[in-house]
Structure formats: C-alpha cells, structure tokens
Amino acid sequence: MFFLRKNVSCSLRYETIPLSTPLEDLNFIVFDTETTGFQVSAADRIIEIGAVPVKGFQVQEKDLFQTYVNPKRQISREIKELTSISDELVKDAPQALEAIQSFFEYVESREAVCLIGHYVSFDALAVKSECKREKLSLKNFLTIDTLDLMGFIAPSCDMRDLERYAMAFGTRIYDRHRAAGDALTTAYLFVELLYQFQQRGHKTWGELIKATDSQMRSLHY
C-alpha cells in the first residue's frame, strides 16, 4: 500500500538568480540549530533555531530570528549544561513543524538565495528529520557550508570548531552552543570568507556555486 507524502518547501531564490549576479547583490540567511543530542535522524529533536540575514556583505544583526522548540521529550543534563536550554525554556515553545514553518516564512520574506551554516549538513538533517516525522517531504533546501568555502580559500586549514575558525580569521564570537549566537558567529565568519573569495577574483553567484559545488547540498526528499 502506498502512502501519499505531502511536501514542505523553503522558498529560496537560487533558481531565479542569474549566475552573473555580483556577490554583494545577494541575500543569504545564516542559520543554526540546537538539539537534544546528535542522533537527529533517530531520537534527538530540535530545541532551538536561530538565523540572521547577510545582505551586501553586511550582517543584519537587528533582523535576528530565534525560536525555542518544544522537543516533546526531556532535555538531558549534558545538553542543558552545554546550551543552557532547560525544559522550562521550551515547555511553552512551538513544536518543531510550527517553528520550522515560522523559520521558512522568515527566509522567504528576506528573499534569500540560499541558506548558510557551519557544518550545515547536521542542521539540514535536523530540519529534514523533523519534517519526516510529520510525513512531510522537504524540498528546495539549498545550503552552502562555510567549511566548504573555507576549504576553497584556505585548503591547509583543518579545523572543525566554529570558534577556532572565528579566532583564526579575526571575526566576532557570540554565545556558543546557542542557535542565535552560533548563527551570528557563522555570519561574520561567512562575510570575511566572502571578502577573501572576492579578493581572489571571484565575484559572482555562479563562481560561489562552482567553488562549493563538490559539497553543496540541494536536499530533495
């Protein structure tokens, strides 16, 4: 017996933006999630989503998006200590699908070309898994990982930790292991990487796609 699965879409503009568009004319959304653990395709759930726009190589700090998410399960002591997110903070928060829909509405209203994250495959999987639990198929979720852009600009760098990268590139560091704080830290790192990318003679959307293409993720579930 076959079951009809409905789709949920993140309205990104990557399919309508000419490849020749200058990088400074693009809008990006940098985002991050916090979760109850690292097994997000199994039992672990999202507990916070944070995001911030980057427009014209400027981080739009005053336009920050943040929501807690009720995971419908207890948060472990380890995660509470890591994130400072308690059961009390999330008990009246929207559940995952409502929070994700609010996030997608935010993304659409900012006319973002794609989503940016640090080790973004984890955050993308967290969002995808929450949709899958509701029998929804996620479409048009295009992401670029700062790790991939870093690998293009400075292939000798071999780190994973966001804070270490931010320190190495002299960019701002906000509250760690909180979605809004990590989104802001990633956004300033991304802007610095864009400047360096541009200084190396790469100036367009098409060149950014090409530079990150081997790891660029367009998720169609």
Side-chain angles (χ1 to χ4, degrees), residues 87-104:
D87 297 303
E88 185 69 20
L89 277 177
V90 302
K91 71 174 185 178
D92 296 323
Q95 293 185 13
L97 186 58
E98 182 182 351
I100 289 168
Q101 288 173 330
S102 295
F103 172 52
F104 285 179

PDB file of all heavy atoms in Angstrom, residues 87-104:
ATOM      1  N   ASP A  87      14.281  22.523  30.249  1.00  0.00           N
ATOM      2  CA  ASP A  87      12.911  22.099  29.952  1.00  0.00           C
ATOM      3  C   ASP A  87      11.931  23.234  30.171  1.00  0.00           C
ATOM      4  O   ASP A  87      10.934  23.361  29.449  1.00  0.00           O
ATOM      5  CB  ASP A  87      12.540  20.902  30.833  1.00  0.00           C
ATOM      6  CG  ASP A  87      13.406  19.687  30.559  1.00  0.00           C
ATOM      7  OD1 ASP A  87      13.436  19.236  29.404  1.00  0.00           O
ATOM      8  OD2 ASP A  87      14.059  19.198  31.493  1.00  0.00           O
ATOM      9  N   GLU A  88      12.224  24.088  31.140  1.00  0.00           N
ATOM     10  CA  GLU A  88      11.357  25.224  31.429  1.00  0.00           C
ATOM     11  C   GLU A  88      11.307  26.203  30.248  1.00  0.00           C
ATOM     12  O   GLU A  88      10.243  26.728  29.909  1.00  0.00           O
ATOM     13  CB  GLU A  88      11.859  25.952  32.683  1.00  0.00           C
ATOM     14  CG  GLU A  88      10.984  27.093  33.158  1.00  0.00           C
ATOM     15  CD  GLU A  88       9.649  26.637  33.727  1.00  0.00           C
ATOM     16  OE1 GLU A  88       9.525  25.456  34.110  1.00  0.00           O
ATOM     17  OE2 GLU A  88       8.722  27.471  33.791  1.00  0.00           O
ATOM     18  N   LEU A  89      12.456  26.424  29.602  1.00  0.00           N
ATOM     19  CA  LEU A  89      12.515  27.358  28.482  1.00  0.00           C
ATOM     20  C   LEU A  89      11.699  26.886  27.286  1.00  0.00           C
ATOM     21  O   LEU A  89      11.166  27.707  26.534  1.00  0.00           O
ATOM     22  CB  LEU A  89      13.969  27.576  28.051  1.00  0.00           C
ATOM     23  CG  LEU A  89      14.802  28.589  28.830  1.00  0.00           C
ATOM     24  CD1 LEU A  89      16.236  28.610  28.306  1.00  0.00           C
ATOM     25  CD2 LEU A  89      14.183  29.975  28.754  1.00  0.00           C
ATOM     26  N   VAL A  90      11.627  25.576  27.078  1.00  0.00           N
ATOM     27  CA  VAL A  90      10.983  25.061  25.858  1.00  0.00           C
ATOM     28  C   VAL A  90       9.556  24.569  26.083  1.00  0.00           C
ATOM     29  O   VAL A  90       8.878  24.234  25.109  1.00  0.00           O
ATOM     30  CB  VAL A  90      11.826  23.919  25.227  1.00  0.00           C
ATOM     31  CG1 VAL A  90      13.224  24.414  24.896  1.00  0.00           C
ATOM     32  CG2 VAL A  90      11.886  22.698  26.137  1.00  0.00           C
ATOM     33  N   LYS A  91       9.091  24.531  27.316  1.00  0.00           N
ATOM     34  CA  LYS A  91       7.804  23.875  27.579  1.00  0.00           C
ATOM     35  C   LYS A  91       6.634  24.556  26.887  1.00  0.00           C
ATOM     36  O   LYS A  91       5.666  23.903  26.497  1.00  0.00           O
ATOM     37  CB  LYS A  91       7.552  23.767  29.085  1.00  0.00           C
ATOM     38  CG  LYS A  91       7.235  25.072  29.782  1.00  0.00           C
ATOM     39  CD  LYS A  91       6.861  24.843  31.242  1.00  0.00           C
ATOM     40  CE  LYS A  91       6.419  26.136  31.914  1.00  0.00           C
ATOM     41  NZ  LYS A  91       6.012  25.922  33.315  1.00  0.00           N
ATOM     42  N   ASP A  92       6.681  25.882  26.713  1.00  0.00           N
ATOM     43  CA  ASP A  92       5.600  26.604  26.045  1.00  0.00           C
ATOM     44  C   ASP A  92       5.971  27.022  24.621  1.00  0.00           C
ATOM     45  O   ASP A  92       5.255  27.798  23.988  1.00  0.00           O
ATOM     46  CB  ASP A  92       5.218  27.844  26.854  1.00  0.00           C
ATOM     47  CG  ASP A  92       4.644  27.483  28.216  1.00  0.00           C
ATOM     48  OD1 ASP A  92       3.909  26.479  28.299  1.00  0.00           O
ATOM     49  OD2 ASP A  92       4.949  28.189  29.200  1.00  0.00           O
ATOM     50  N   ALA A  93       7.085  26.521  24.130  1.00  0.00           N
ATOM     51  CA  ALA A  93       7.549  26.865  22.784  1.00  0.00           C
ATOM     52  C   ALA A  93       6.755  26.096  21.735  1.00  0.00           C
ATOM     53  O   ALA A  93       6.149  25.060  22.029  1.00  0.00           O
ATOM     54  CB  ALA A  93       9.038  26.545  22.660  1.00  0.00           C
ATOM     55  N   PRO A  94       6.748  26.582  20.504  1.00  0.00           N
ATOM     56  CA  PRO A  94       6.070  25.827  19.436  1.00  0.00           C
ATOM     57  C   PRO A  94       6.758  24.488  19.199  1.00  0.00           C
ATOM     58  O   PRO A  94       7.960  24.335  19.454  1.00  0.00           O
ATOM     59  CB  PRO A  94       6.214  26.729  18.211  1.00  0.00           C
ATOM     60  CG  PRO A  94       7.374  27.616  18.521  1.00  0.00           C
ATOM     61  CD  PRO A  94       7.349  27.825  19.999  1.00  0.00           C
ATOM     62  N   GLN A  95       5.995  23.512  18.715  1.00  0.00           N
ATOM     63  CA  GLN A  95       6.601  22.251  18.346  1.00  0.00           C
ATOM     64  C   GLN A  95       7.323  22.410  17.007  1.00  0.00           C
ATOM     65  O   GLN A  95       7.239  23.445  16.359  1.00  0.00           O
ATOM     66  CB  GLN A  95       5.534  21.162  18.305  1.00  0.00           C
ATOM     67  CG  GLN A  95       4.965  20.871  19.697  1.00  0.00           C
ATOM     68  CD  GLN A  95       3.988  19.720  19.721  1.00  0.00           C
ATOM     69  OE1 GLN A  95       3.881  18.949  18.765  1.00  0.00           O
ATOM     70  NE2 GLN A  95       3.257  19.594  20.816  1.00  0.00           N
ATOM     71  N   ALA A  96       8.064  21.377  16.619  1.00  0.00           N
ATOM     72  CA  ALA A  96       9.039  21.502  15.536  1.00  0.00           C
ATOM     73  C   ALA A  96       8.441  22.031  14.238  1.00  0.00           C
ATOM     74  O   ALA A  96       8.980  22.964  13.635  1.00  0.00           O
ATOM     75  CB  ALA A  96       9.723  20.162  15.309  1.00  0.00           C
ATOM     76  N   LEU A  97       7.350  21.449  13.774  1.00  0.00           N
ATOM     77  CA  LEU A  97       6.820  21.833  12.476  1.00  0.00           C
ATOM     78  C   LEU A  97       6.392  23.294  12.452  1.00  0.00           C
ATOM     79  O   LEU A  97       6.668  24.017  11.486  1.00  0.00           O
ATOM     80  CB  LEU A  97       5.650  20.931  12.087  1.00  0.00           C
ATOM     81  CG  LEU A  97       5.110  21.142  10.674  1.00  0.00           C
ATOM     82  CD1 LEU A  97       6.202  20.940   9.624  1.00  0.00           C
ATOM     83  CD2 LEU A  97       3.937  20.209  10.402  1.00  0.00           C
ATOM     84  N   GLU A  98       5.749  23.752  13.510  1.00  0.00           N
ATOM     85  CA  GLU A  98       5.334  25.157  13.587  1.00  0.00           C
ATOM     86  C   GLU A  98       6.548  26.077  13.585  1.00  0.00           C
ATOM     87  O   GLU A  98       6.559  27.120  12.918  1.00  0.00           O
ATOM     88  CB  GLU A  98       4.495  25.391  14.844  1.00  0.00           C
ATOM     89  CG  GLU A  98       3.988  26.813  14.979  1.00  0.00           C
ATOM     90  CD  GLU A  98       3.201  27.034  16.255  1.00  0.00           C
ATOM     91  OE1 GLU A  98       2.891  26.046  16.959  1.00  0.00           O
ATOM     92  OE2 GLU A  98       2.910  28.214  16.568  1.00  0.00           O
ATOM     93  N   ALA A  99       7.594  25.704  14.349  1.00  0.00           N
ATOM     94  CA  ALA A  99       8.808  26.507  14.397  1.00  0.00           C
ATOM     95  C   ALA A  99       9.502  26.556  13.044  1.00  0.00           C
ATOM     96  O   ALA A  99       9.975  27.613  12.600  1.00  0.00           O
ATOM     97  CB  ALA A  99       9.755  25.956  15.458  1.00  0.00           C
ATOM     98  N   ILE A 100       9.552  25.419  12.367  1.00  0.00           N
ATOM     99  CA  ILE A 100      10.184  25.352  11.042  1.00  0.00           C
ATOM    100  C   ILE A 100       9.400  26.190  10.037  1.00  0.00           C
ATOM    101  O   ILE A 100       9.982  26.910   9.217  1.00  0.00           O
ATOM    102  CB  ILE A 100      10.307  23.888  10.586  1.00  0.00           C
ATOM    103  CG1 ILE A 100      11.370  23.166  11.416  1.00  0.00           C
ATOM    104  CG2 ILE A 100      10.643  23.798   9.091  1.00  0.00           C
ATOM    105  CD1 ILE A 100      11.375  21.665  11.246  1.00  0.00           C
ATOM    106  N   GLN A 101       8.077  26.136  10.100  1.00  0.00           N
ATOM    107  CA  GLN A 101       7.264  26.943   9.196  1.00  0.00           C
ATOM    108  C   GLN A 101       7.507  28.432   9.431  1.00  0.00           C
ATOM    109  O   GLN A 101       7.597  29.216   8.475  1.00  0.00           O
ATOM    110  CB  GLN A 101       5.789  26.594   9.366  1.00  0.00           C
ATOM    111  CG  GLN A 101       5.429  25.224   8.801  1.00  0.00           C
ATOM    112  CD  GLN A 101       4.000  24.801   9.114  1.00  0.00           C
ATOM    113  OE1 GLN A 101       3.433  25.188  10.138  1.00  0.00           O
ATOM    114  NE2 GLN A 101       3.417  23.996   8.229  1.00  0.00           N
ATOM    115  N   SER A 102       7.648  28.839  10.691  1.00  0.00           N
ATOM    116  CA  SER A 102       7.952  30.237  11.006  1.00  0.00           C
ATOM    117  C   SER A 102       9.317  30.629  10.445  1.00  0.00           C
ATOM    118  O   SER A 102       9.496  31.727   9.896  1.00  0.00           O
ATOM    119  CB  SER A 102       7.934  30.461  12.516  1.00  0.00           C
ATOM    120  OG  SER A 102       6.646  30.267  13.043  1.00  0.00           O
ATOM    121  N   PHE A 103      10.278  29.726  10.574  1.00  0.00           N
ATOM    122  CA  PHE A 103      11.609  29.965  10.026  1.00  0.00           C
ATOM    123  C   PHE A 103      11.554  30.111   8.513  1.00  0.00           C
ATOM    124  O   PHE A 103      12.155  31.032   7.931  1.00  0.00           O
ATOM    125  CB  PHE A 103      12.536  28.826  10.434  1.00  0.00           C
ATOM    126  CG  PHE A 103      13.890  28.855   9.785  1.00  0.00           C
ATOM    127  CD1 PHE A 103      14.673  29.995   9.829  1.00  0.00           C
ATOM    128  CD2 PHE A 103      14.386  27.729   9.127  1.00  0.00           C
ATOM    129  CE1 PHE A 103      15.932  30.023   9.221  1.00  0.00           C
ATOM    130  CE2 PHE A 103      15.629  27.742   8.537  1.00  0.00           C
ATOM    131  CZ  PHE A 103      16.410  28.894   8.580  1.00  0.00           C
ATOM    132  N   PHE A 104      10.814  29.239   7.843  1.00  0.00           N
ATOM    133  CA  PHE A 104      10.712  29.313   6.388  1.00  0.00           C
ATOM    134  C   PHE A 104      10.023  30.606   5.938  1.00  0.00           C
ATOM    135  O   PHE A 104      10.384  31.186   4.903  1.00  0.00           O
ATOM    136  CB  PHE A 104       9.960  28.097   5.846  1.00  0.00           C
ATOM    137  CG  PHE A 104      10.762  26.822   5.854  1.00  0.00           C
ATOM    138  CD1 PHE A 104      10.196  25.636   5.418  1.00  0.00           C
ATOM    139  CD2 PHE A 104      12.086  26.799   6.300  1.00  0.00           C
ATOM    140  CE1 PHE A 104      10.932  24.449   5.411  1.00  0.00           C
ATOM    141  CE2 PHE A 104      12.824  25.627   6.303  1.00  0.00           C
ATOM    142  CZ  PHE A 104      12.238  24.446   5.855  1.00  0.00           C
TER     143      PHE A 104
END
